[in-house]
Amino acid sequence: MKHDLFRSLYDHCQTLTPKIKRNAIIGKLLELTGGPRIRVVISPLDTNVTRGFFLHATNVEHPFVRANGMHVVVLAKGLNECWERFVHVKEAMHLLDDDGELTDSEEKFVALLNDLTSPAVGEASPQYQADMFAIYMALTCFCPEASRLRYEQLVRDNQIDNYGVALQLKIPELYVPLLFKPNFRQIVSMLRAE
Amino acid sequence: MHHKFFDTFAFLRATLENLMSQNTELATGRLYGANALGVKNIKLFPGSSRDTTAEQIAEQIQKSLSRLEAGDFEEVSPAAE
């Protein structure tokens, strides 16, 4: 991951207050990465299998690339607002993948699919790790640290539950518990390469 | 009898596996084959089922590419919150 760019994005998001608009995050991300145009579309996908994907295609002669550009994010049709925001921002984070994390060959693609579908034995592929890092990167952008600490205290005092936090952040409830895990700060430090 | 059933089962399973691996072949061909998209990166958001197979993901990607090529999509508004 391009840690230096993520640090800048993270610092920018610390200045925002939930509910944070996705374009407040992605606008900064595009500014940091030199602003490649990303086409974002909603199209049918079986959400049991996948809720969306990020595609960077480079063959400018190909009709698909001519029509859509080189960067496309596909979001599954029918996601609610929280899911759509979260999948969109998580997928856009892959603009920060470094060379070793790119899924730029058939072998790496197959390894990614296998890692996504079978419990990891031994080392997961860098492609799969980048997929998982992006979930945490999106979380840190939607929930600045000051907000996270406040919610953590409110949850501890039973003044709000995970669902209430999800509603305020407008992200899927499924990911709220990650914010309060003891290793959360450690993961953020790793993402920031501190 | 038992032997015959086993043969039929093995045949069906082999056919199914062959059909399924076709999805991965189709997807990788479209993404990385000669004169294909020239994919430099692709990443995925997990779905809700824990029992998803690699073949099912490959099938979704390749069907999705067909849908996009056929214009079966809506643009997300730049103003979407």
Side-chain angles (χ1 to χ4, degrees), chain A residues 23 39 44 58-59 85 97, chain B residues 36 38 43 67 72 75 78 81:
Chain A
N23 283 329
R39 184 166 209 186
T58 60
N59 182 2
R85 280 159 49 81
D97 286 357
Chain B
K43 293 283 162 37
R67 288 190 190 109
D72 182 8
E75 295 275 353
E81 294 195 348

Side-chain angles (χ1 to χ4, degrees), chain A residues 19 21-23 39-54 56-59 64 77 85 90-91 94 97 101-106 109 113 117 127 131 175, chain B residues 24 27-28 31-32 35-49 52-54 56-58 60-61 64-65 67-69 72-81:
Chain A
K19 162 195 167 187
K21 292 180 182 176
R22 65 182 103 167
N23 283 329
R39 184 166 209 186
V40 188
V41 298
I42 295 173
S43 191
L45 285 173
D46 179 352
T47 55
N48 290 314
V49 177
T50 179
R51 293 182 173 99
F53 62 94
F54 168 86
H56 178 188
T58 60
N59 182 2
F64 181 91
K77 196 170 183 172
R85 280 159 49 81
K90 179 269 178 193
E91 294 308 327
H94 293 297
D97 286 357
E101 292 169 331
L102 299 176
T103 314
D104 56 2
S105 71
E106 198 175 318
F109 175 66
L113 296 193
T117 53
Q127 287 67 38
D131 242 343
Y175 294 105
Chain B
T24 302
T28 53
L31 299 173
Y32 302 102
N35 303 316
L37 288 164
V39 166
K40 193 172 174 190
N41 200 6
I42 180 165
K43 293 283 162 37
L44 292 132
F45 202 102
S48 55
S49 167
T52 298
T53 65
Q56 287 173 318
I57 300 180
Q60 286 302 308
I61 291 170
S64 184
L65 294 175
R67 288 190 190 109
L68 298 188
E69 281 175 352
D72 182 8
F73 62 83
E74 304 154 38
E75 295 275 353
V76 173
S77 160
E81 294 195 348

Side-chain angles (χ1 to χ4, degrees), chain B residues 6-21:
Chain B
F6 193 77
D7 277 356
T8 308
F9 179 74
F11 171 76
L12 284 175
R13 195 175 62 179
T15 307
L16 190 64
E17 279 173 359
N18 188 35
L19 270 177
M20 284 168 74
S21 73

